[in-house]
C-alpha cells in the first residue's frame, strides 16, 4: 500500500467501492469519469506505479484474466470492448497505480484522440 494513492485506498476499501469483479489479487470498479457507456478500471490490489514497474510476468496474465471476468460481468464479450493502459505523462496517466481501462458499450474510434 502506498500512502496517498487513491487506488490503494479503493483496493483496501478505505474508500468504499462497489466491485464489478474482485479476487484476492485484483479489483474492478467503475471509472468516476466514464468515457464510454461501460468504463471499468481493473487494478492489482498491490501498488505498482506503471506498466514499466512490474516484475512478476505472471501478473499480466492474471490481470488479463481479471479483465476477462470483468467484461463477462458487464456483458461485453459479444459486442467487444477496448482495454487500455496509459503510461506516464505522454500516455495520459493521471493515477500512478497500474490500471487497465475497460471501455465498451459504444464503437471505439481508432486512432484515439
Ligand atoms: P489514467 O488517466 O491514469 O489512465 O486513468 C485514471 C482514471 O481513474 C481516470 O479515468 C479517472 O476518471 C479515474 N479516477 C480517478 N480517481 C478516481 C476515483 O477516486 N474513483 C474512481 N472510480 N475512478 C477514479
Ligand atoms: Zn496504489
Amino acid at each position: 500500500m502506498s500512502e496517498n494513492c487513491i487506488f490503494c485506498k479503493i483496493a483496501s476499501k478505505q474508500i468504499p467501492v462497489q466491485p464489478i469483479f474482485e479476487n484476492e489479487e485484483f479489483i474492478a470498479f467503475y471509472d468516476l469519469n466514464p468515457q464510454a457507456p461501460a468504463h471499468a478500471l481493473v487494478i492489482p490490489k498491490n501498488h505498482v506505479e506503471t506498466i514499466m514497474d512490474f516484475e512478476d510476468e505472471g501478473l499480466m496474465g492474471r490481470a488479463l484474466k481479471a479483465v476477462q471476468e470483468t467484461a463477462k460481468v458487464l456483458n461485453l464479450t459479444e459486442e467487444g470492448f477496448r482495454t487500455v493502459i496509459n503510461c506516464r505523462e505522454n500516455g495520459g496517466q493521471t493515477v500512478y497505480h497500474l490500471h487497465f481501462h475497460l471501455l465498451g458499450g459504444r464503437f471505439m474510434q481508432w486512432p484515439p484522440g
Side-chain angles (χ1 to χ4, degrees):
M1 164 118 194
S2 176
E3 257 180 73
N4 300 323
C5 170
I6 193 95
F7 286 179
C8 279
K9 287 181 182 158
I10 289 173
S12 65
K13 314 265 170 79
Q14 263 180 265
I15 293 176
V17 60
Q18 266 196 311
I20 302 167
F21 167 79
E22 182 174 12
N23 63 18
E24 259 184 31
E25 204 176 9
F26 302 95
I27 185 166
F29 50 93
Y30 289 103
D31 195 292
L32 196 61
N33 181 24
Q35 303 300 312
H39 187 173
L41 300 170
V42 180
I43 67 169
K45 290 182 175 177
N46 285 335
H47 185 81
V48 177
E49 274 201 359
T50 83
I51 194 175
M52 296 307 294
D53 299 306
F54 72 92
E55 304 286 339
D56 171 13
E57 291 174 22
L59 179 77
M60 280 296 136
R62 296 191 299 278
L64 287 174
K65 291 304 284 184
V67 169
Q68 277 187 354
E69 293 307 318
T70 305
K72 285 183 202 169
V73 175
L74 294 175
N75 254 316
L76 297 173
T77 59
E78 287 298 315
E79 18 181 83
F81 59 91
R82 175 171 294 165
T83 191
V84 173
I85 303 172
N86 296 325
C87 183
R88 296 196 181 275
E89 244 176 277
N90 279 358
Q93 186 173 8
T94 57
V95 177
Y96 279 67
H97 179 129
L98 179 64
H99 50 280
F100 293 70
H101 292 264
L102 196 162
L103 298 140
R106 67 165 169 83
F107 180 76
M108 296 293 151
Q109 299 293 333
W110 189 262

